[in-house]
Each structure stands twice: as C-alpha cells, then as structure tokens.
Amino acid sequence: MIRDQHEFAKKLTAYLDNGAAQLKAGTVYRLSQARGKALAALGQPAWTSEGRAAQVHAYAGAGRGTASPGGGLRKGAWLWLGVVLMAAAGFGYQQWQVYQQTREIEELDVQILSSDLPIDAYLDRGFQTWLTRFQP
Amino acid sequence: MSGFLAEVERRAFKQAMFATRDEDAALDIVQDAMLKLAEKYADKPANELPMLFQRILQNTIHDHFRRQKVRNTWTTLLSAFGKGDEKDDDFDPLETLQAKSDSNAMADPARQFEQAQIVGMIEQALTRLPARQREAFLLRYWEELDVAEAAAAMGCSEGSVKTHCSRAVHALAVMLEAKGLKL
C-alpha cells in the first residue's frame, strides 16, 4: 500500500513539526519555565539540600504553572484530608446501616409481641394460606 | 544542555500529549524528564543526550500511567473535594495569546487553516495508535533516532522497533486515507 515507508513517515513528521511550532504561547512559556528549572538543577546532586530545594521547587508543577514551592505539599495535604474524610464517611455510613437494621428488627419484635395473635400462628402454614385467601 | 533542551522541549511536550491527552500532565512529564536529564546526565557527551532524554521521557510517561492507575480510584472518589480553589487555575490569560516566534502569521489564512486541519488529523490518528507503535514511530522518524537507539530508549529489541514502526506507518496510512487525506 505504501511504496516508501520512510518517505511517508517523513511527510507526516513535517506536519508534526508544523504542529509543534504552533504551540500556544502559554504552553511555550511553561515549557521555557520547566527548562529553566531543569537548568537551575544542572549538576546539583539530588541528595544535597540545594538540589532537594531545587527539586521541591521544580516539582511545584509545570502543569499548573504554580510558582510556589509549597504547591505540591498543599495538594498532598488536600489529598490526605480527602482520604480521611472518605474513610470517616464510609465508617459513618456503615454504622448508620447497622443502626437502621437494629431498629427494623426492634420494631418487628414489638409488633409481634404486642399482637393478639400467638407467635406460633406465623409459623403455621395453614394460617398463612388462610391469610392470603381471605384477605379483604 | 540549554540548547539541547530548547530544541527538544516542544517535540517532547507533543509526545507526552499524544500519550496522555492532558496538557498539564504532559508539561509535568516534560519538566520531570528535563530535571532527571540535567541532574544525572549533564556530564554525558552531547551526542548521547537525545537517546538518554528519550529514554527518560518514555520512562516518565510510563511512570505517569502507573501512578494514574493507582490513583484513579481515589481521584474518582475525591473528585467532589478540592474543586473550589482550582477555578482560578482554569483560566490562563497566556492561552489567549498567539505564539509570535516560529509562527507563520504572514501565510495565507486559508492555507494556514488547511495545514492546521491536516496537523489535527495526523495528531488525532497518532493518539489512536497503540502506545508502543506510537513510541516507535515518533522515536524513529520524528526524533530521528536509529533503530538501535530507539530500541534502547524503548527497552526492546531492534526487531520489535522495526515491526512497531512498520505497523504504525500502515495504521496511520489507513486512518488518514479513511479521512480522505492522501499525502
């Protein structure tokens, strides 16, 4: 189908180059910021305090374009807060369900005990049949 | 190093975009890859930088997907939380501006529009390719790495690179032809 694979690919990449050259100004700016951060960290070993600081600063996120070094930490805090809230909500829901079930059982017990009908009647198959047949 | 990064950053961003389809994630990936290259391989000879950078970039993209897989459940559950303060981040006045450098502002608008449409079609077709085929195609033809370098960057055999490239080119040709685009 394609006579020259390489030539076809080259035509495509020429268009891709065109697309890369037409990036939005905001994206180009963020890319240059990211490059600046990488160059600032140039040659700094990751384990030194300076390197770490540069890394923390850089990891503040090119994506969001946030310049504050605490951006990543703040996001982490929000995430953990969310996790804790979700866990609390899950636990609360489970407790509420247990409480509801207990209440339903209690109500049923009260109804059975306060009824004039003896409990054995409910276990009698003949009575159940009579109930379904002669219900008003 | 500065010149090298300036030369590759746009293509690296596009590569990350094709993979993630998320601009913020793509920018983070490129920044991560640049940082790793600067921190660990600054002393390497200039001719080794393209292959090293591509290897780091591909690994960073894979890491992104691994992390995303783990976080996915939580992100869905927590989507209701923390939305309030992100509203300001959505609008960026810089997005309204056009890039002045490397642009073809003087070109015929109709031709510019046509070009943009073709680029859009090709980029869309690329995002629909299987990840390994897309990687191989971009490394081999866009980044102009040779087969051995592409194989090293992708962590696979040279034969696999050739197969992925061939399949990618054929798949792209079929997809573009289906859209009425003949190059």
Side-chain angles (χ1 to χ4, degrees):
Chain A
M1 186 176 56
I2 306 163
R3 263 175 284 162
D4 191 346
Q5 187 176 309
H6 194 80
E7 193 187 325
F8 178 75
K10 281 287 121 193
K11 280 182 188 169
L12 292 185
T13 55
Y15 279 106
L16 291 179
D17 281 333
N18 202 313
Q22 300 288 326
L23 285 181
K24 287 180 288 187
T27 309
V28 174
Y29 174 68
R30 287 179 192 172
L31 281 172
S32 67
Q33 269 192 325
R35 185 180 0 124
K37 283 169 187 168
L39 291 172
L42 195 65
Q44 285 178 345
W47 59 85
T48 66
S49 58
E50 288 157 338
R52 206 68 248 173
Q55 219 175 20
V56 168
H57 184 73
Y59 278 113
R64 286 279 165 208
T66 46
S68 78
L73 293 173
R74 203 165 49 236
K75 270 187 186 174
W78 275 110
L79 185 75
W80 281 112
L81 181 68
V83 169
V84 169
L85 281 173
M86 284 300 298
F91 181 72
Y93 179 69
Q94 192 213 11
Q95 290 299 310
W96 178 76
Q97 267 195 326
V98 170
Y99 173 71
Q100 283 293 105
Q101 276 177 351
T102 316
R103 271 199 59 179
E104 276 173 24
I105 292 167
E106 275 174 5
E107 274 177 28
L108 202 66
D109 284 350
V110 167
Q111 277 176 11
I112 290 170
L113 290 171
S114 61
S115 165
D116 293 335
L117 207 64
I119 295 171
D120 291 341
Y122 291 101
L123 304 171
D124 183 17
R125 279 189 185 175
F127 177 67
Q128 293 288 350
T129 319
W130 182 83
L131 265 182
T132 49
R133 198 177 298 166
F134 294 99
Q135 228 159 23
Chain B
M1 178 65 83
S2 173
F4 169 74
L5 292 180
E7 191 196 319
V8 294
E9 66 187 13
R10 288 181 185 221
R11 291 200 305 274
F13 168 74
K14 280 284 185 182
Q15 274 198 56
M17 270 295 281
F18 296 145
T20 62
R21 303 180 201 187
D22 176 346
E23 191 173 329
D24 291 328
L27 281 164
D28 283 340
I29 286 169
V30 175
Q31 176 171 302
D32 246 359
M34 284 178 168
L35 266 171
K36 283 176 194 164
L37 184 81
E39 281 175 359
K40 294 177 184 170
Y41 302 104
D43 53 339
K44 293 281 178 188
N47 63 333
E48 283 183 28
L49 291 181
M51 198 276 282
L52 285 169
F53 180 70
Q54 288 307 323
R55 189 166 193 165
I56 294 169
L57 184 68
Q58 301 309 324
N59 286 338
T60 314
I61 291 171
H62 295 164
D63 286 346
H64 164 81
F65 282 116
R66 266 183 228 124
R67 278 199 303 272
Q68 197 184 41
K69 205 173 173 183
V70 175
R71 283 185 196 157
N72 240 357
T73 324
W74 286 109
T75 315
T76 317
L77 288 169
L78 298 173
S79 56
F81 297 99
K83 281 274 175 193
D85 62 346
E86 282 175 16
K87 277 181 185 168
D88 293 339
D89 293 343
D90 290 342
F91 178 72
D92 185 351
L94 285 169
E95 303 295 353
T96 60
L97 301 173
Q98 283 294 316
K100 62 175 182 179
S101 60
D102 304 313
S103 70
N104 51 356
M106 299 305 283
D108 174 21
R111 181 160 167 68
Q112 235 180 322
F113 178 69
E114 191 192 342
Q115 286 265 327
Q117 272 193 322
I118 296 172
V119 170
M121 276 189 225
I122 294 170
E123 289 186 349
Q124 201 184 17
L126 267 171
T127 58
R128 287 171 60 193
L129 278 184
R132 296 297 274 175
Q133 287 183 22
R134 184 177 54 241
E135 274 175 40
F137 176 84
L138 292 173
L139 291 175
R140 186 79 186 86
Y141 297 117
W142 205 19
E143 296 300 331
E144 297 181 329
L145 300 185
D146 61 36
V147 178
E149 287 174 329
M154 287 177 67
C156 64
S157 69
E158 294 183 19
S160 294
V161 172
K162 286 178 192 168
T163 310
H164 286 315
C165 277
S166 173
R167 285 183 184 163
V169 170
H170 281 89
L172 286 170
V174 169
M175 279 193 263
L176 295 173
E177 210 173 311
K179 287 182 179 178
L181 182 65
K182 281 203 169 189
L183 297 172

